[in-house]
Amino acid sequence: MLHSDLIRVNDLLITVLLHSGSRWPSKGSKPTAQPVHVSLAIPHDISSTARSDDLSQSINYSTLASTLRTSLSPAAASLEEPAFESLEQIVFRCFDLLLLPEPTSTPRLPGAQIRVVQLKPPLHCQALAVEGVATCGADASWRLIELHHIVENLECYPIVGVNPAERLERQLVRINITVNDPSATGMSVHWLDFRTLTRRLHQKVEATSYLTLEALASFVAVETLQHLQSNSNGIIDYNPKVSIKAAKPCALVFADSSEVEITRVSNDYPTELHSSPRSLNHSASGDMHSAAIALGSNIGDKFQNIELALRLLENPLSVVTDRSTLSDNAFLFVVNTSFLYESAPMYVTDQPSFINCACMIETNIPPVVLLQLVKKIEEIVGRRPSFQNGPRAIDLDIVLYDELVLDTRMPQEQLTPDNLSVDLVIPHPRMPEREFVLRPLFDMIPEYVHPSLHKTLSTLLHELLLVSNDPPMEKVLVFPRYPLPPNVSSPLSGIGPVPSTLTFWRYTDSKSVRKVQSKTKGRTRLMATLNATPDSFSDGSTHNTIPSALAYIRQAARASVDIMDIGGYSTRPGAAFVSVDEEIDRVVPIVQAMRSAGSTTIEEDNEEIRRVKEMPISIDTFRWEVTEKAILAGANCINDVYAFTGPQNYPYPALEVDRQQNNESMRQMKGLARKFAVPVVLMHSRGDAGMNKDYSAYSYSDDGAVIEAVREELGLKVDQIVKGKGSIRRWNVIVDPGIGFSKTVEDNLELLRRGGAVTADTLIGRVPSKRKNPLTGFPQLIGTSRKSFLGVVLANARGRSAEAKDRAWATASAVSCAVQQGALVVRVHDTHEMSDVVAIADALWR
Ligand SMILES: *[C@@H]1O[C@H](CO)[C@@H](O)[C@H](O)[C@H]1NC(C)=O
Ligand SMILES: *[C@@H]1O[C@H](CO)[C@@H](O)[C@H](O)[C@H]1NC(C)=O
Ligand SMILES: *[C@@H]1O[C@H](CO)[C@@H](O)[C@H](O)[C@H]1NC(C)=O
Ligand SMILES: *[C@@H]1O[C@H](CO)[C@@H](O)[C@H](O)[C@H]1NC(C)=O
Ligand SMILES: *[C@@H]1O[C@H](CO)[C@@H](O)[C@H](O)[C@H]1NC(C)=O
Ligand SMILES: *[C@@H]1O[C@H](CO)[C@@H](O)[C@H](O)[C@H]1NC(C)=O
Ligand SMILES: *[C@@H]1O[C@H](CO)[C@@H](O)[C@H](O)[C@H]1NC(C)=O
């Protein structure tokens, strides 16, 4: 508890970067510099200083004040520190600064009281303040014991008074509101939406015409309590106390009572606040919440389990059919996904590895009901009851829900992070020690501030990696098995059949800096191209008949090719138009021939035939009609040089005339990629491959214009594909910088030379609006094979040109560079030769 002697510093004026008061997910709001007053009080026994007048016994106020000033103001904050999302966050940051132990400093302070006042608050009120009291925990932490939210001098003009003269005109009423949050129970709403509250109160109060100020104050209390309740996310036992002070400054002429003060809790209004917090009537609020759900699987077809769970999650009404639990208007959308990871089992190590990922959802389902939904999904996907942390078909954890801090367990059980089987603890208590939870969250919301640890997820992950001795988690890319068997069924109507897994690729981020090296060395994957086009630039018409195509594919299988890329429409500048039907006729029979290899002729059922049958096939097309037919025939991956935006895609977002067509292409391709759960290769391009080579608009970037352009332009499309309602899973995306498409020779060389920078974890954009590289962490496919820029370099160096088919050695050099830059896949024609090149390059650099 706080000691009775207090040392105060009052009204320290500090300028901070503050978002408009709207908080995470901050929908693009720009932070602005705002003045705040910070006051602090530190409990301190002054008796010894008072007696001795000894400076060393006293607390140095000037150091405290300057620590706060320098650490909170934007000069220090601009780069490392995110802007503050709310006043609460500033208060918590002050506690961090004052109460967390520092190696150099004098003894730790026992506790502190902080008040932060926003001096330029929303309309209609004079100041907003958040006041907190915290004490030091035993370890390196602090504990919040009180939190107050204060609105000062909300000014409204209602009709109020008994006097006939008073009832003719509106008059000024000033209202102060204090909300006391019973944080000590650990079940608090730390964040108050001041803006919505003051707007609501102002509107409602102006419409009243009470006779007495007492009635008006009581009305304000009810409105405030209702607002708090509707924002409490159905927390059980959330019981805030509000104090209302109301004054009529101009009332004295009427000799009226000019000021009242009341304090109320919701039990004081049994009829007005009829829906008690326990009844969870979410249809009444109809609002939207963001939550993060972690998924893990370690038995059966893990990838199929995860995909099925996600589809079930998006169909909450089919999963929970009891409408007294889940109302008719319940919705849930998966709006963002992480990458997919394979991790060694934790705690109980004698079991198969886990596949982990996480997703962000938007929903109107309150947390306690959401828990029932995920339990039901675990049951449907086939969770078998097993020992804690043991094997399971699917495990779903609600790890975050808005900024909620919630523990539904009995107080005596709250001391342990386990025993969660039927209860809900948010944020998930073991999150800080679990890389397999933190890392997927970091992919999506690195700047989210953990509501009780007060650190960003990025900080938590880095702290964990500093002490971790585990090998790095590997990312995984999954190919589903097509064609589907004729009668696969779905566990629920409304959900398409989820394919089983054909194969999957593990890979590590080459840039992940770890103490411990990966146990499995990464391997660059080889994609062979098969152009089923009579006019393809590089191999003429050699493969446009089924037998010669199959011969080429068998040869590729011998060269350990990992994936076959089949295209029927050349993207070469000036290539002849091919109709949709013609394109389908060119590619689909080859896909069918591969999938039925060995079954028609009487061939020996050898290893090579098996490899041809099981080889992942990607379909190189930008047309959804072709994509659909090819996947139904057995293709497992989409490779689209226009990244779902169609050929008329430059500049992008498209010009008015092309928008409709692009939109349709995006919608259809996203729909197919989602329905079939196939990986997609999204390439950077700017319309016609021979044009639009000007990147000067990006010359501001230190990383060079063309690299920045690919991050920005392809990033825009990738964002549109992996974010929001109806988006595809992040782990299903491979990016391709589009070497040879709308780029000069030097641009192509630069993209190859510094290819790793395209997907680096860095900031992009111009200075005031820097943002995270949207391509961060995606695996890359690099295609250089036989491309004309290699011919130009050869011609310049040797004084003679090299035909496409004579560029194999030049390609070898380029492929080697792509491997060194960390490409996951290289796309080649000369499979036999490049297989050797990749083997040596992998041995050198992976
Ligand atoms: C407080 O610290 C500052 C610098 O850290 C120093 O200049 C000042 O003399 C100190 N004041 C007292 C009263 O110790
Ligand atoms: C509201 O609080 C402010 C600041 O503490 C004070 O000046 C003002 O008199 C209060 N108003 C009422 C109605 O109590
Ligand atoms: C839930 O809210 C709806 C709409 O406001 C209301 O009609 C219904 O009676 C409420 N149900 C309960 C159980 O409070
Ligand atoms: C809680 O967990 C402990 C140890 O894991 C176990 O012994 C205990 O029975 C559990 N309690 C409940 C209520 O599940
Ligand atoms: C993922 O979605 C969340 C919530 O909509 C958003 O805040 C975040 O920026 C997204 N992350 C990425 C990397 O797109
Ligand atoms: C699935 O198809 C096979 C033959 O193709 C048939 O024997 C089997 O009964 C079918 N199963 C169901 C559930 O329809
Ligand atoms: C794209 O289509 C959707 C509906 O399919 C529509 O709501 C949206 O406005 C369209 N966007 C453009 C840019 O045309």
Side-chain angles (χ1 to χ4, degrees):
M1 272 294 104
L2 293 188
H3 196 278
S4 52
D5 294 339
L6 284 178
I7 287 177
R8 290 183 187 280
V9 177
N10 284 329
D11 296 345
L12 206 52
L13 181 65
I14 300 180
T15 304
V16 298
L17 276 180
L18 192 61
H19 283 278
S20 61
S22 55
R23 51 149 184 182
W24 175 83
S26 59
K27 300 243 189 298
S29 81
K30 286 235 177 64
T32 49
Q34 296 227 25
V36 296
H37 270 157
V38 177
S39 308
L40 59 143
I42 309 284
H44 182 63
D45 185 354
I46 64 165
S47 53
S48 63
T49 318
R51 239 180 292 115
S52 61
D53 206 16
D54 176 0
L55 267 184
S56 68
Q57 298 281 319
S58 88
I59 290 176
N60 187 332
Y61 320 96
S62 101
T63 317
L64 287 185
S66 72
T67 305
L68 292 186
R69 190 174 275 127
T70 52
S71 313
L72 299 179
S73 55
S78 58
L79 284 176
E80 292 104 286
E81 289 292 335
F84 293 101
E85 297 286 338
S86 63
L87 296 182
E88 291 87 336
Q89 218 187 330
I90 303 178
V91 172
F92 297 155
R93 180 89 180 104
C94 290
F95 287 141
D96 283 349
L97 291 166
L98 296 173
L99 301 182
L100 296 186
E102 248 184 77
T104 56
S105 83
T106 40
R108 273 173 84 188
L109 302 174
Q113 182 176 343
I114 297 283
R115 175 185 170 92
V116 174
V117 182
Q118 186 182 1
L119 299 172
K120 288 191 182 159
L123 283 178
H124 316 306
C125 65
Q126 220 165 56
L128 298 176
V130 174
E131 224 174 66
V133 179
T135 53
C136 269
D139 45 359
S141 69
W142 49 264
R143 212 165 81 79
L144 190 66
I145 55 181
E146 274 175 52
L147 193 68
H148 308 303
H149 293 88
I150 300 150
V151 176
E152 270 178 20
N153 287 329
L154 179 68
E155 299 196 334
C156 308
Y157 288 83
I159 305 266
V160 58
V162 283
N163 248 293
E166 278 182 302
R167 299 202 64 81
L168 289 178
E169 293 205 49
R170 298 168 174 278
Q171 63 173 307
L172 174 63
V173 174
R174 291 208 177 96
I175 305 166
N176 284 2
I177 301 150
T178 305
V179 177
N180 288 346
D181 188 344
S183 283
T185 65
M187 302 181 191
S188 65
V189 178
H190 284 330
W191 187 84
L192 179 66
D193 185 350
F194 275 124
R195 186 178 292 272
T196 313
L197 176 63
T198 53
R199 189 184 294 137
R200 169 181 179 152
L201 290 179
H202 185 262
Q203 274 170 5
K204 298 230 170 176
V205 169
E206 297 237 315
T208 61
S209 55
Y210 286 106
L211 295 175
T212 62
L213 208 48
E214 287 83 341
L216 180 63
S218 179
F219 172 80
V220 173
V222 173
E223 286 296 322
T224 306
L225 287 165
Q226 271 175 354
H227 173 84
L228 295 171
Q229 203 171 76
S230 70
N231 283 277
S232 68
N233 304 311
I235 300 180
I236 294 159
D237 295 345
Y238 174 57
N239 194 15
K241 186 159 51 164
V242 303
S243 300
I244 310 292
K245 273 194 198 177
K248 288 197 289 183
C250 311
L252 289 177
V253 282
F254 305 108
D256 197 349
S257 121
S258 69
E259 192 173 315
V260 299
E261 174 170 0
I262 62 170
T263 297
R264 296 286 185 272
V265 294
S266 38
N267 283 346
D268 296 329
Y269 300 101
T271 48
E272 288 88 344
L273 298 165
H274 58 92
S275 66
S276 90
R278 280 179 188 281
S279 81
L280 293 173
N281 190 347
H282 56 275
S283 66
S285 60
D287 47 3
M288 178 97 102
H289 302 278
S290 292
I293 295 183
L295 298 92
S297 173
N298 82 332
I299 52 173
D301 187 332
K302 304 166 196 175
F303 306 109
Q304 196 180 27
N305 293 343
I306 285 174
E307 178 60 31
L308 177 58
L310 287 170
R311 292 187 187 193
L312 292 170
L313 208 47
E314 294 200 288
N315 280 277
L317 293 172
S318 343
V319 175
V320 177
T321 46
D322 175 2
R323 288 292 158 268
S324 63
T325 306
L326 200 60
S327 69
D328 277 333
N329 64 356
F331 63 82
L332 190 157
F333 301 111
V334 172
V335 294
N336 206 337
T337 38
S338 67
F339 291 105
L340 196 59
Y341 295 93
E342 177 169 51
S343 50
M346 213 172 168
Y347 311 113
V348 181
T349 51
D350 165 27
Q351 54 173 323
S353 67
F354 271 87
I355 296 297
N356 291 101
C357 61
C359 66
M360 301 294 306
I361 59 168
E362 283 181 0
T363 185
N364 61 353
I365 303 175
V368 183
V369 181
L370 190 58
L371 179 68
Q372 296 181 28
L373 174 68
V374 303
K375 292 284 167 208
K376 191 75 197 292
I377 292 174
E378 288 177 342
E379 197 183 303
I380 295 174
V381 180
R383 180 178 190 162
R384 288 138 228 195
S386 67
F387 55 101
Q388 198 175 17
N389 300 317
R392 53 200 53 189
I394 194 78
D395 197 11
L396 295 170
D397 283 323
I398 306 168
V399 281
L400 300 170
Y401 191 102
D402 293 339
E403 277 74 38
L404 201 58
V405 177
L406 174 64
D407 192 336
T408 63
R409 296 173 297 174
M410 302 300 287
Q412 65 271 22
E413 289 174 348
Q414 295 186 6
L415 299 170
T416 142
D418 297 313
N419 294 15
L420 301 184
S421 56
V422 292
D423 285 297
L424 187 56
V425 184
I426 296 174
H428 197 282
R430 285 205 180 273
M431 181 167 126
E433 69 188 65
R434 288 180 173 172
E435 183 181 355
F436 65 81
V437 177
L438 280 178
R439 189 172 283 283
L441 291 178
F442 173 79
D443 291 338
M444 302 183 290
I445 45 169
E447 298 306 326
Y448 176 84
V449 177
H450 188 290
S452 50
L453 300 173
H454 317 295
K455 291 177 179 169
T456 62
L457 295 178
S458 168
T459 306
L460 289 173
L461 178 62
H462 285 104
E463 288 178 358
L464 176 64
L465 293 185
L466 283 179
V467 299
S468 167
N469 282 314
D470 298 327
M473 286 168 51
E474 292 177 302
K475 288 186 182 166
V476 181
L477 185 77
V478 192
F479 294 92
R481 181 181 290 281
Y482 284 104
L484 286 181
N487 54 7
V488 284
S489 63
S490 269
L492 288 181
S493 63
I495 298 184
V498 180
S500 58
T501 303
L502 174 69
T503 184
F504 62 96
W505 297 349
R506 297 187 182 93
Y507 61 101
T508 35
D509 269 342
S510 51
K511 299 291 176 292
S512 71
V513 185
R514 303 284 301 224
K515 285 190 298 187
V516 192
Q517 281 301 307
S518 168
K519 54 185 184 305
T520 55
K521 282 209 147 199
R523 184 163 73 78
T524 307
R525 308 291 170 151
L526 209 56
M527 172 187 269
T529 68
L530 196 160
N531 296 298
T533 62
D535 63 338
S536 172
F537 75 105
S538 53
D539 60 2
S541 58
T542 43
H543 300 312
N544 58 356
T545 58
I546 307 268
S548 62
L550 276 181
Y552 171 78
I553 294 163
R554 289 183 62 162
Q555 188 194 332
R558 276 196 294 277
S560 309
V561 158
D562 297 283
I563 178 167
M564 184 59 60
D565 188 43
I566 303 175
Y569 189 175
S570 173
T571 48
R572 184 173 57 93
F577 175 83
V578 174
S579 72
V580 171
D581 288 341
E582 163 95 51
E583 193 184 342
I584 291 174
D585 283 347
R586 288 179 181 184
V587 298
V588 168
I590 300 181
V591 175
Q592 285 168 336
M594 280 180 77
R595 289 297 176 245
S596 56
S599 61
T600 48
T601 54
I602 309 152
E603 290 173 89
E604 71 282 34
D605 191 16
N606 62 16
E607 177 64 12
E608 192 178 295
I609 300 286
R610 195 193 58 79
R611 279 211 219 137
V612 169
K613 263 176 104 85
E614 301 265 291
M615 186 184 288
I617 298 173
S618 87
I619 180 76
D620 177 3
T621 186
F622 57 84
R623 286 167 162 164
W624 63 268
E625 299 92 336
V626 180
T627 303
E628 183 169 27
K629 289 273 189 309
I631 295 175
L632 290 174
N636 327 80
C637 178
I638 305 172
N639 180 9
D640 182 356
V641 297
Y642 297 118
F644 292 2
T645 54
Q648 317 293 324
N649 70 341
Y650 186 75
Y652 187 82
L655 300 170
E656 198 57 49
V657 276
D658 302 322
R659 200 166 282 165
Q660 218 52 48
Q661 192 192 336
N662 288 350
N663 202 4
E664 180 63 6
S665 168
M666 176 67 79
R667 202 176 62 79
Q668 293 281 5
M669 287 297 250
K670 259 165 91 167
L672 291 174
R674 231 175 114 84
K675 174 175 169 193
F676 295 121
V678 290
V680 302
V681 182
L682 302 173
M683 197 188 82
H684 174 261
S685 63
R686 290 177 147 196
D688 188 305
M691 291 158 66
N692 306 319
K693 297 186 179 181
D694 180 5
Y695 291 91
S696 56
Y698 301 97
S699 55
Y700 59 85
S701 170
D702 291 342
D703 279 323
V706 71
I707 286 174
E708 181 79 352
V710 172
R711 292 168 179 164
E712 284 273 9
E713 294 176 0
L714 183 57
L716 186 64
K717 297 181 186 179
V718 168
D719 267 357
Q720 227 176 326
I721 293 166
V722 302
K723 279 158 76 169
K725 219 164 117 176
S727 56
I728 73 174
R729 323 290 180 215
R730 183 180 301 265
W731 57 78
N732 275 342
V733 173
I734 300 174
V735 299
D736 177 345
I739 288 177
F741 286 77
S742 300
K743 282 142 195 129
T744 62
V745 172
E746 183 42 48
D747 286 341
N748 287 319
L749 292 172
E750 180 66 5
L751 269 180
L752 193 49
R753 191 185 291 133
R754 304 201 34 246
V758 169
T759 50
D761 185 0
T762 182
L763 297 177
I764 66 163
R766 284 173 191 273
V767 170
S769 49
K770 289 249 174 207
R771 63 203 172 93
K772 187 180 155 107
N773 177 10
L775 300 185
T776 300
F778 283 101
Q780 282 194 62
L781 180 150
I782 304 279
T784 53
S785 189
R786 300 184 180 179
K787 281 185 176 163
S788 64
F789 78 101
L790 298 175
V792 173
V793 174
L794 290 178
N796 289 344
R798 301 274 174 262
R800 58 175 163 78
S801 64
E803 292 300 303
K805 65 179 173 36
D806 298 326
R807 294 175 195 150
W809 294 101
T811 302
S813 178
V815 163
S816 186
C817 180
V819 172
Q820 190 270 340
Q821 283 297 300
L824 175 65
V825 196
V826 291
R827 183 174 180 272
V828 301
H829 296 87
D830 306 287
T831 53
H832 208 71
E833 295 82 352
M834 296 313 143
S835 174
D836 286 357
V837 169
V838 165
I840 301 302
D842 276 347
L844 284 168
W845 287 300
R846 278 247 198 260

